[in-house]
Amino acid sequence: MSDETVKLKGADIDIDLPLLGGSMGPKVIDVRKLYKETGYFTYDPGYTSTASCESAITYIDGDEGILLYRGYPIEQLAAQSNFMEVCYLLLFGGLPNQAEYDQFVSDITYHTMVHEQLMQFYNGFRRDAHPMAIMVGVVGALAAFYHDSTDISDPHQRRVASYRLIAKMPTLAAMAYKYSNGQPFIYPRNDLNYAANFLQMAFAVPCEEYQTRETLARAMDLVFTLHADHEQNASTSTVRLAGSSGANPFACIAAGIACLWGPAHGGANEACLKMLAEIGTADRIPLYVEKAKDKSDPFRLMGFGHRVYKNFDPRAKVLRTAAHDVLDELGINEPLFEVAMELERIALEDDYFIEKRLYPNVDFYSGVILKALGFPTEMFTVLFALARTAGWISQWNEMISDPVQKIGRPRQLFTGPTQREYVAINKRS
Ligand code: SDX
């Protein structure tokens, strides 16, 4: 932290505010004393220029298209690491040695089962319920089963809750999928790695031996790694805000799932594949590009644009290559992938997208891979939430341990009616 200051000087204000610097990225103007000393608030709907916290977990350079998890480039982690190691990295800040890794994987593996009674929650939903609606419900309900890991003041309970959430999300997600198609729930298997175990819970049936396919498990693991964390995005900020009140971690993650569901955020992967299907063929792309540019039309190119990235989302680059490899290895001719690549080419040559610096984001190609893995579009955001639980719970732990942490309570610019007297109904016009 530096001892630099910036001066804020105006009609009736003259204040020096501390300028704080981190290890990378923009410095911040510390406005914590602004209201107390000047009576003024700052105003930043959407938080386009606001740092909500200090964090050491994930760094994004939107202009350069850089994404680092605890300093490691996402491209290197995607190529050389795996989701379990990334979970450890996000939670504890460094790469594990072999013994630490083996212990962590074992700990997670032995938390993958869920309380048998949780299965009854699913029966309360319609079979056609959106799986994200189910996930919001059942993840929040975990607090009703795991009381021994809801005391957030106890570091041991925080760790147990963190492991339980990372371990049980695949089980709950697979159950949501099985419930939607009427197949029986499949229990986790301790002899499979995290991604392979999830795929077997989603696609195995009791009538025959499930054959794990390493290619598919590796692709699933890669998708999880790429979605694991992303700085202070909307759903992570939701988890932090919920956690700032002292809410238990299961409730906080359920809040994050609810926020992620929105089509402007994690729901974009489902919306993007539906958009590609609606476009259908490359000759119809110009029509949709024009719709996306038309201010009178609410349509946006799903999977395009980003609050932070004004260059290529590095995850989209990795996912485009992975989508090609998965389709190639599975021998699938997916016309939507061709449409996606052609849409990317046309949009990136269009002045509107160039001027507004709109590029494909993480949601643009992920749906092609998830469809190739056998998931229906409604499951796509569930898979995003499954992976992002690692980031959410890491950010939650960081927030709880932050010495300056206090309940989040934004203020407002009030533009409503000034004070007025109540009028009895028989005296109103
Ligand atoms: C995720 O924050 C994160 O890190 C999120 C995420 C993560 O890992 O957690 O990266 C995951 O949510 C990725 C984004 C997924 N969403 C989509 O793909 C939905 C489509 N994208 C847009 O809705 C939009 O780009 C956002 C929501 C992603 C970003 O919105 P911003 O930063 O608020 O930008 P904006 O809406 O102010 O857009 C700036 C301009 C606007 O035009 P003008 O008002 O300046 O004339 O660009 C236009 C927008 O109309 N624009 C688009 C567009 N995205 C922005 N125009 C057409 N198609 C688009 N996709």
Side-chain angles (χ1 to χ4, degrees), residues 135-386:
M135 292 301 287
V136 171
V138 296
V139 172
L142 290 175
F145 290 86
Y146 300 110
H147 306 287
D148 61 342
S149 59
T150 53
D151 176 357
I152 64 170
S153 65
D154 177 353
H156 172 70
Q157 290 195 35
R158 292 205 298 268
R159 178 174 296 199
V160 171
S162 303
Y163 283 20
R164 277 174 165 156
L165 279 157
I166 291 172
K168 298 180 194 304
M169 280 296 280
T171 310
L172 297 173
M175 289 166 70
Y177 174 54
K178 284 300 196 189
Y179 187 73
S180 72
N181 64 25
Q183 290 185 353
F185 297 144
I186 300 295
Y187 287 104
R189 280 176 44 184
N190 295 344
D191 62 323
L192 296 177
N193 67 43
Y194 189 89
N197 192 18
F198 171 62
L199 291 177
Q200 76 90 20
M201 287 189 285
F203 297 117
V205 289
C207 333
E208 59 189 33
E209 191 64 32
Y210 176 78
Q211 294 303 321
T212 305
R213 295 182 62 174
E214 177 52 31
T215 306
L216 304 188
R218 206 168 48 243
M220 188 79 265
D221 191 274
L222 173 64
V223 169
F224 289 160
T225 292
L226 293 169
H227 287 77
D229 193 48
H230 212 240
E231 197 208 74
Q232 305 312 317
N233 58 83
S235 52
T236 297
S237 299
T238 301
V239 170
R240 279 180 171 262
L241 194 58
S244 74
S245 75
N248 73 71
F250 304 106
C252 295
I253 299 301
I257 294 171
C259 176
L260 186 75
W261 193 359
H265 190 14
N269 55 16
E270 173 180 353
C272 181
L273 205 83
K274 287 179 176 172
M275 174 192 74
L276 293 173
E278 184 184 328
I279 294 173
T281 53
D283 62 312
R284 285 164 47 85
I285 289 173
L287 167 69
Y288 283 83
V289 168
E290 289 313 307
K291 272 173 64 70
K293 293 157 61 175
D294 179 356
K295 283 299 162 211
S296 65
D297 189 330
F299 173 79
R300 287 191 165 182
L301 280 189
M302 302 317 283
F304 251 82
H306 199 278
R307 170 62 55 77
V308 176
Y309 289 122
K310 301 309 174 189
N311 194 324
F312 244 98
D313 180 335
R315 302 167 297 178
K317 285 184 178 176
V318 176
L319 284 165
R320 179 175 57 196
T321 304
H324 176 271
D325 295 347
V326 168
L327 293 173
D328 199 30
E329 289 197 32
L330 295 176
I332 297 174
N333 172 31
E334 177 51 80
L336 297 183
F337 185 51
E338 306 307 320
V339 172
M341 289 197 294
E342 180 63 4
L343 174 54
E344 174 192 325
R345 185 189 66 77
I346 292 173
L348 294 186
E349 290 174 356
D350 186 290
D351 290 343
Y352 174 92
F353 292 88
I354 293 168
E355 174 211 318
K356 294 183 188 300
R357 303 179 72 188
L358 302 174
Y359 290 83
N361 60 49
V362 67
D363 294 308
F364 191 63
Y365 286 106
S366 57
V368 171
I369 296 178
L370 299 176
K371 181 171 184 279
L373 291 176
F375 291 103
T377 49
E378 290 72 27
M379 278 294 292
F380 289 3
T381 311
V382 171
L383 303 180
F384 194 150
L386 187 167

